Structure formats: structure tokens, C-alpha cells
């Protein structure tokens, strides 16, 4: 099974945070590469554990995934990620 996921990356102080909004999973690292690697590991651990518990299908369904051509993709698609400012 293949999943198409989104990865958000940002810097917080001297650490980099990586986040997968579809699964609501985050990780971090001292470099961008380490943050990305750690996120992939955490995602795999969560999916493997859900599969062992027999809850993987419901987890993916609740997260909004559909299968197309053997790849599970989110029913919503990220079309932009732009910082905005609001005056208070």
C-alpha cells in the first residue's frame, strides 16, 4: 500500500518541526533532513501499530483517504500555504 501525504516543515528556535496534517503526526530534528527522516519513522510506526490492532482501515477512512490506482490520497488537496498578517 502506498500513501500520498503532505509534509509541513518549519523552524522553531534551533529545531526543525515536520508535520503531517492528514494523520496529525509531528516530529522534529536538529536539521531539515533529520526532521523529515524522523517524521517518516513516526508515520510508519503509527501505521504498523494500527495495522497490528486491526484499526488501520478505519484510521485511514477517518483521516479522509481514498484509493486511486493503488495509491491512497487525501480527499482534500493542499493548494497553497501562504503566511498572512492580520492587524489587531
Amino acid at each position: 500500500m502506498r500513501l500520498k501525504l503532505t509534509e509541513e516543515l518549519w523552524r522553531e528556535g534551533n529545531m526543525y518541526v515536520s508535520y503531517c496534517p492528514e494523520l496529525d503526526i509531528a516530529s522534529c530534528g536538529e536539521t531539515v533532513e533529520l526532521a523529515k527522516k524522523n517524521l517518516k519513522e513516526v508515520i510508519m510506526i503509527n501505521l504498523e501499530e494500527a495495522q497490528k490492532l486491526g484499526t488501520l482501515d478505519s484510521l485511514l477512512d477517518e483521516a479522509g483517504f481514498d484509493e486511486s490506482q493503488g495509491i491512497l490520497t487525501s480527499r482534500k488537496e493542499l493548494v497553497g500555504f501562504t503566511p498572512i498578517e492580520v492587524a489587531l
Side-chain angles (χ1 to χ4, degrees):
M1 172 187 336
R2 296 179 59 87
L3 287 173
K4 184 177 178 183
L5 302 168
T6 305
E7 177 182 49
E8 296 176 12
L9 285 163
W10 64 90
R11 187 175 179 162
E12 287 187 13
N14 62 349
M15 296 292 288
Y16 292 90
V17 176
S18 53
Y19 175 67
C20 174
E22 293 92 348
L23 298 174
D24 194 26
I25 295 174
S27 191
C28 63
E30 293 180 351
T31 65
V32 169
E33 295 78 19
L34 189 55
K36 289 173 156 250
K37 177 183 173 283
N38 290 343
L39 180 64
K40 287 179 183 177
E41 287 180 7
V42 170
I43 289 171
M44 289 306 301
I45 289 168
N46 275 272
L47 295 176
E48 288 169 358
E49 289 302 312
Q51 190 169 30
K52 287 178 188 175
L53 294 170
T55 59
L56 181 59
D57 290 338
S58 63
L59 180 143
L60 295 173
D61 186 52
E62 288 175 20
F65 284 91
D66 285 327
E67 186 171 359
S68 174
Q69 300 176 353
I71 299 175
L72 288 168
T73 57
S74 177
R75 291 191 271 277
K76 60 182 179 180
E77 178 183 349
L78 179 66
V79 294
F81 197 87
T82 308
I84 62 171
E85 288 186 30
V86 178
L88 298 176

